[in-house]
C-alpha cells in the first residue's frame, strides 16, 4: 500500500512588538490597522509582558490617544496651539483589575500569546468610541520640518503610580496605529453621471456635456473610466478636454475646505469639436499616492512608512447619518471634466462624485474580473485568516514576531 501524505498549509500570523528602552516591558499587537465597519470598530487587543523582577509593586497603565493637528507648529505663537490631544481610553493593565464576570474574553491571538509568553503576559483590550475619525495624514512639503497635519492614533503603556501619571520615557512604549474603513462587500450597479450645458451671450445654441463613470466605488490602484459625450449645438468650438481626479478635504475643527488634483490628463483628440459636431470617448485615469509625492496637502491614509502609503480613503458614515456629522478630516472624491471653449467662450466643467476605498478582505471583483490583489496595507488580513483557520488552537509555533520600530516620522517621543 502506498502511504498517502497529507500536506497542510499552516497559516502564520504576524505579531508586532515593541520594547521599552530599559528592556523590562514588551508590548505585542496583532495588527496596526483597525477597521471601522460603521456599526462597530475592531477592538485594540494586545499583550504586555513584564520582567518578573521589575514588576514588584509597580503598576502599568495603558491608554489610547488621538492627536488632531490642524495647523503647522511653526505658526504656533503666543501660546496658541493648532493641535488637540484626546485620551480615548485608559485603564490599569498590570496588575489586572478585572475580576469574575468583568474579565475580558481573550481573542484567539491573545490566547495564543498568553500561552506562548508565560505567566508574565497580561492581555489588554481598548475600544474606539463611536464616531471617532479615521486616520488621515496631510502630506507635508519638501521643506516642512514639523509634524504633518492630520488625525493619528497612538497606543501607549507606561509605569506610574496612577493613571494620571505621564510615566518616564525609559519605561514607556508608544505604538502608532491606524483606524481605516473598507468598501462595502458589494459595489452596487449605480453609475454616477452628470449632465450640464453652457450657453453664450449674443450667440444661439448650447454645448452639452455628459459624463458617466463605470462604477460608484473604486479600489485603490484601480483605473477610473469616464465616458465623456459632447454635443456642440452652439457656434463655438471646443479646443481641448481636461480630466481630473479631485480630492476634497474638509477640516472640521476649523471648518476649512480645500481640494487637490491627484490625477489628470489633457487631450486634443477629436478637437476642435466644431459647431454641430458630437464627440464620445472613454477616458481612464488612475489616482495614486506615488504620483503625488512631496505635494503639500495631499491626504493619505495615515503615514506609517514609505511603502505603506495610499491616498486617503473616502469617508463613510453610518446609515441614517449625514456626511456633515463626520468628525476629523472628511475625505471625498470627484471626477472633473473641463472643456476649453476658447478665449471668449470660457470653460464648461462638471464634477461626478465617487468613492475610493480599500476592498474588504476576501472581496472579489465582479463582472468576471479577477480577484482583487491584496494591498500592502492589508497585512492584518493574515490575522483574520489565522483566526478562522484550524490552527488557531494548535500548539505549533506559527507566530511571526516583527519589531514595531519607529516607522512613522511623527511618532511621539514619550
Amino acid at each position: 500500500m502506498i502511504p498517502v501524505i497529507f500536506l497542510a498549509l499552516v497559516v502564520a500570523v504576524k505579531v508586532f512588538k515593541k520594547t521599552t528602552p530599559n528592556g523590562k516591558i514588551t508590548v505585542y499587537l496583532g495588527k496596526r490597522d483597525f477597521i471601522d465597519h460603521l456599526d462597530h470598530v475592531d477592538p485594540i487587543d494586545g499583550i504586555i509582558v513584564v520582567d518578573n523582577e521589575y514588576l514588584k509593586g509597580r503598576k502599568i497603565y495603558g491608554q489610547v490617544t488621538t492627536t488632531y493637528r490642524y495647523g503647522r507648529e511653526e505658526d504656533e505663537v503666543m501660546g496658541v496651539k493648532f493641535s488637540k490631544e484626546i485620551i480615548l481610553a485608559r485603564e490599569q493593565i498590570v496588575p489586572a483589575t478585572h475580576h469574575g464576570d468583568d474579565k475580558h474574553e481573550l481573542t484567539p491571538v491573545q490566547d495564543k500569546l498568553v500561552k506562548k509568553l508565560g505567566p508574565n503576559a497580561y492581555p489588554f483590550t481598548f475600544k474606539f468610541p463611536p464616531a471617532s475619525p479615521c486616520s488621515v495624514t496631510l502630506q507635508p512639503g519638501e521643506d516642512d520640518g514639523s509634524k504633518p497635519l492630520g488625525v493619528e492614533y497612538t497606543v501607549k503603556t507606561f509605569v506610574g503610580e496612577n493613571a494620571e501619571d505621564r510615566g518616564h520615557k525609559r519605561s514607556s512604549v508608544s505604538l502608532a496605529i491606524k483606524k481605516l474603513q473598507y468598501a462595502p462587500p458589494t459595489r452596487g450597479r449605480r453609475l454616477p453621471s452628470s449632465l450640464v450645458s453652457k450657453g453664450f451671450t449674443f450667440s444661439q445654441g448650447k454645448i452639452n456635456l455628459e459624463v458617466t463613470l463605470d462604477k460608484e466605488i473604486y479600489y485603490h490602484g484601480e483605473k477610473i473610466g469616464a465616458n465623456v459625450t459632447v454635443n456642440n449645438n452652439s457656434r463655438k468650438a471646443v479646443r481641448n478636454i481636461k480630466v481630473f481626479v479631485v480630492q476634497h478635504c474638509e477640516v472640521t475643527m476649523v471648518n476649512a475646505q480645500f481640494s487637490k488634483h491627484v490625477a489628470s490628463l489633457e487631450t486634443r483628440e477629436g478637437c476642435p469639436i466644431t459647431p454641430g459636431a458630437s464627440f464620445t470617448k472613454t477616458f481612464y485615469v488612475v489616482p495614486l499616492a506615488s504620483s503625488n509625492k512631496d505635494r503639500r496637502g495631499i491626504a493619505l491614509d495615515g503615514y506609517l512608512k514609505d511603502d505603506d502609503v495610499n491616498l486617503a480613503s473616502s469617508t463613510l458614515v453610518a446609515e441614517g447619518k449625514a456626511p456633515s456629522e463626520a468628525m476629523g478630516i472628511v475625505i471625498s472624491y470627484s471626477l472633473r471634466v473641463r472643456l476649453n471653449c476658447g478665449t471668449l467662450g470660457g470653460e464648461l466643467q462638471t464634477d461626478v462624485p465617487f468613492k475610493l476605498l480599500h476592498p474588504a478582505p476576501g472581496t472579489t471583483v465582479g463582472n468576471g474580473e479577477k480577484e482583487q490583489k491584496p494591498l500592502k496595507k492589508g497585512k492584518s488580513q493574515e490575522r483574520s485568516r489565522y483566526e478562522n483557520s484550524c490552527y488557531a488552537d494548535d500548539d505549533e509555533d506559527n507566530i511571526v514576531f516583527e519589531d514595531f520600530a519607529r516607522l512613522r516620522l511623527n511618532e511621539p517621543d514619550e
Side-chain angles (χ1 to χ4, degrees):
M1 178 180 292
I2 300 176
V4 179
I5 301 176
F6 294 95
L7 298 178
L9 179 62
V10 177
V11 180
V13 60
K14 180 180 293 185
V15 174
F16 299 93
K17 70 173 184 176
K18 190 171 183 181
T19 305
T20 56
N22 62 13
K24 302 298 184 181
I25 301 173
T26 303
V27 179
Y28 297 83
L29 283 181
K31 57 182 179 180
R32 298 177 300 180
D33 299 349
F34 298 88
I35 308 306
D36 182 355
H37 303 275
L38 297 184
D39 56 345
H40 71 282
V41 184
D42 294 345
I44 305 170
D45 52 338
I47 294 290
I48 184 168
V49 177
V50 188
D51 184 272
N52 192 31
E53 297 180 356
Y54 185 74
L55 185 60
K56 299 175 181 178
R58 297 176 183 267
K59 295 180 180 179
I60 300 178
Y61 296 89
Q63 64 184 31
V64 179
T65 61
T66 179
T67 303
Y68 187 3
R69 179 166 291 280
Y70 50 92
R72 299 189 304 173
E73 284 183 307
E74 51 263 37
D75 295 335
E76 297 178 346
V77 294
M78 299 180 66
V80 177
K81 294 185 70 66
F82 295 128
S83 65
K84 191 173 184 64
E85 181 175 311
I86 304 173
I87 298 177
L88 303 179
R90 180 166 51 190
E91 70 174 28
Q92 179 181 314
I93 302 175
V94 183
T97 57
H98 302 292
H99 302 284
D101 297 336
D102 294 335
K103 188 175 181 179
H104 291 306
E105 182 179 353
L106 298 182
T107 63
V109 172
Q110 282 182 322
D111 186 59
K112 182 77 176 179
L113 287 172
V114 168
K115 292 178 181 178
K116 182 178 179 63
L117 299 174
N120 292 332
Y122 299 85
F124 64 87
T125 301
F126 296 111
K127 294 183 179 179
F128 287 97
S132 55
C134 289
S135 299
V136 176
T137 297
L138 299 186
Q139 185 168 252
E142 292 183 356
D143 301 329
D144 291 342
S146 59
K147 296 179 180 179
L149 282 62
V151 178
E152 60 185 49
Y153 290 92
T154 303
V155 177
K156 181 181 178 180
T157 62
F158 60 92
V159 177
E161 297 296 330
N162 53 66
E164 302 296 332
D165 195 346
R166 293 181 59 88
H168 197 281
K169 185 177 181 180
R170 292 177 313 205
S171 57
S172 301
V173 173
S174 294
L175 306 97
I177 62 174
K178 292 183 291 184
K179 179 176 178 287
L180 305 175
Q181 289 180 324
Y182 280 151
T186 58
R187 295 202 258 190
R189 298 182 178 180
R190 178 178 174 270
L191 303 181
S193 63
S194 175
L195 175 63
V196 293
S197 301
K198 179 180 178 65
F200 302 92
T201 306
F202 308 118
S203 179
Q204 295 181 346
K206 295 181 178 180
I207 295 180
N208 300 317
L209 169 62
E210 183 177 7
V211 180
T212 303
L213 303 184
D214 55 355
K215 296 184 187 72
E216 182 183 12
I217 298 176
Y218 294 91
Y219 299 145
H220 288 284
E222 274 191 329
K223 61 182 180 181
I224 299 172
N227 183 266
V228 177
T229 301
V230 181
N231 293 314
N232 189 356
N233 299 318
S234 70
R235 296 183 180 180
K236 303 290 183 179
V238 177
R239 304 295 180 84
N240 61 20
I241 301 174
K242 296 181 180 179
V243 181
F244 307 94
V245 175
V246 186
Q247 181 188 75
H248 307 278
C249 298
E250 179 183 352
V251 184
T252 58
M253 181 68 74
V254 292
N255 197 25
Q257 299 177 351
F258 62 92
S259 300
K260 297 280 188 178
H261 295 164
V262 292
S264 64
L265 67 85
E266 181 177 356
T267 180
R268 294 181 180 271
E269 182 178 351
C271 297
I273 304 175
T274 56
S278 297
F279 173 80
T280 300
K281 183 176 174 60
T282 300
F283 297 99
Y284 294 96
V285 288
V286 183
L288 296 171
S290 58
S291 304
N292 294 275
K293 283 188 175 181
D294 301 323
R295 287 189 59 203
R296 180 185 285 111
I298 299 295
L300 307 174
D301 252 345
Y303 184 86
L304 282 182
K305 56 181 178 178
D306 290 333
D307 63 348
D308 194 21
V309 176
N310 286 109
L311 293 173
S313 298
S314 300
T315 302
L316 302 180
V317 294
E319 187 176 355
K321 292 188 177 181
S324 58
E325 298 179 32
M327 301 174 63
I329 298 180
V330 181
I331 305 296
S332 60
Y333 289 89
S334 66
L335 185 127
R336 177 174 298 170
V337 177
R338 180 181 299 163
L339 305 182
N340 180 9
C341 303
T343 304
L344 299 179
E347 295 178 336
L348 170 61
Q349 77 173 27
T350 185
D351 282 51
V352 184
F354 66 91
K355 294 180 176 63
L356 184 65
L357 293 158
H358 296 288
T363 301
T364 56
V365 181
N367 300 327
E369 299 179 25
K370 295 182 180 180
E371 185 175 355
Q372 181 74 12
K373 293 183 179 180
L375 299 174
K376 290 182 178 180
K377 296 177 71 64
K379 292 178 181 178
S380 59
Q381 295 178 16
E382 298 173 1
R383 186 168 96 153
S384 61
R385 286 166 42 212
Y386 165 79
E387 293 180 351
N388 295 328
S389 72
C390 60
Y391 298 99
D393 298 324
D394 68 8
D395 295 327
E396 297 295 329
D397 189 11
N398 54 351
I399 296 179
V400 178
F401 294 105
E402 178 176 315
D403 287 333
F404 204 116
R406 291 186 177 274
L407 299 175
R408 190 161 67 170
L409 297 178
N410 57 333
E411 184 174 340
D413 295 329
E414 297 182 354

